[in-house]
Amino acid sequence: MNADRSTAPSTGAHLDADSLDAESLTALALGLLRGPGSNARTILGLAGPPGAGKSTLARHLVTEVERHAGPGSAAYLPLDGFHLSAAQLDRLGLGHRKGAPATFDAHGYIALLRRVATERFQDIYVPDFDRDLDEPVAARHVVHPHTRLVITEGNYLAAADHPWPEARHLLRELWYIDTDDTVREARLLDRHRAGGRDEATARHWVTGNDHPNGEYVKAGRAVCTRIVRVDRLPSPPNGRSVS
């Protein structure tokens, strides 16, 4: 385990948001590969409410770290890969709450984080979420033995309810991605329309599901190492909406 608890503020601490561009955040990520403990694998977490830009920023940071430190030096591990399938959501009666904490395999996610933190002699395969299929998919990403920085992102990395704090303890740092609610709502509406929902259904999903999930996420700001507002968020791959 490589968590640096000394850098994490205690619950209730106040942190001002740093307004940084993607280049500055890349420099901070690269800084995790230097200094004490830099020979060990480091896990950086990005938390924030739906539509904040976590996945777009995470993929950008992985690409930039690999450009500076070499292929395979960084890897991506999204919490969204641990969405429960539609079949399981139907079984549990949670299809209408997709994206809420109970609709993730949180224990499976934490188990994979533990493997990433401790196993260094074989490839570790990482699931993702396919927005076209609207389902999780296995083994889309890989953490290689020589990978030094793993960037994981998801809504609930800073959540206080069991078992999410177990994930926090495995992270070297946890950044909260702070984005105006109006910007997030516009992104979420674009995402849902792109996924096939009509305007009324998309708006209902944002207000009835994304909004309460986002308010729950905001309560975790105080346990994050750093709060950032990202200037000039890089364009998402394939023109997809940010998350």
Side-chain angles (χ1 to χ4, degrees):
M1 184 171 70
N2 60 7
D4 183 359
R5 293 187 182 85
S6 64
T7 64
S10 59
T11 301
H14 175 74
L15 288 177
D16 292 327
D18 297 319
S19 185
L20 300 169
D21 59 22
E23 183 178 348
S24 298
L25 290 170
T26 297
L28 289 172
L30 286 165
L32 296 175
L33 302 181
R34 299 186 290 270
S38 59
N39 289 330
R41 179 175 287 155
T42 295
I43 307 176
L44 167 64
L46 308 180
K54 302 179 297 298
S55 63
T56 300
L57 178 59
R59 291 192 294 265
H60 174 80
L61 291 175
V62 168
T63 298
E64 289 301 296
V65 169
E66 288 193 302
R67 186 168 68 86
H68 286 84
S73 57
Y76 178 44
L77 197 168
L79 172 61
D80 276 358
F82 291 85
H83 265 291
L84 298 182
S85 68
Q88 296 303 324
L89 293 176
D90 289 345
R91 180 181 66 84
L92 296 168
L94 290 172
H96 66 296
R97 291 292 287 128
K98 190 169 187 174
T103 66
F104 288 86
D105 176 13
H107 292 284
Y109 170 71
I110 292 164
L112 185 62
L113 281 184
R114 288 199 181 101
R115 285 191 64 202
V116 166
T118 59
E119 295 183 19
R120 295 297 297 270
F121 300 107
Q122 61 278 318
D123 288 340
I124 299 174
Y125 294 99
V126 175
D128 201 349
F129 188 82
D130 189 303
R131 293 199 183 281
D132 292 329
L133 297 174
D134 201 29
E135 288 276 24
V137 293
R140 176 167 284 176
H141 308 288
V142 60
V143 179
H144 297 294
H146 67 280
T147 299
R148 297 176 58 203
L149 177 65
V150 175
I151 299 178
T152 185
E153 55 83 15
N155 293 346
Y156 305 116
L157 273 58
D161 294 318
H162 179 77
W164 301 106
E166 295 180 33
R168 172 65 186 96
H169 291 318
L170 292 163
L171 308 178
R172 171 77 172 272
E173 292 190 7
L174 177 57
W175 301 352
Y176 183 93
I177 310 305
D178 190 35
T179 305
D180 289 339
D181 288 346
T182 53
V183 173
R184 292 194 305 103
E185 180 177 317
R187 291 172 177 172
L188 291 167
L189 286 170
D190 285 346
R191 179 194 302 173
H192 296 320
R193 287 189 293 248
R197 292 187 172 99
D198 60 34
E199 183 70 21
T201 305
R203 289 192 177 277
H204 178 73
W205 191 268
V206 169
T207 57
N209 195 53
D210 292 330
H211 176 75
N213 292 342
E215 292 305 300
Y216 174 77
V217 170
K218 291 177 185 179
R221 286 168 57 103
V223 302
C224 294
T225 313
R226 180 185 298 271
I227 298 174
V228 297
R229 296 182 66 87
V230 185
D231 295 334
R232 299 190 300 276
L233 189 70
S235 298
N238 303 320
R240 291 189 179 279
S241 59
V242 295
S243 62

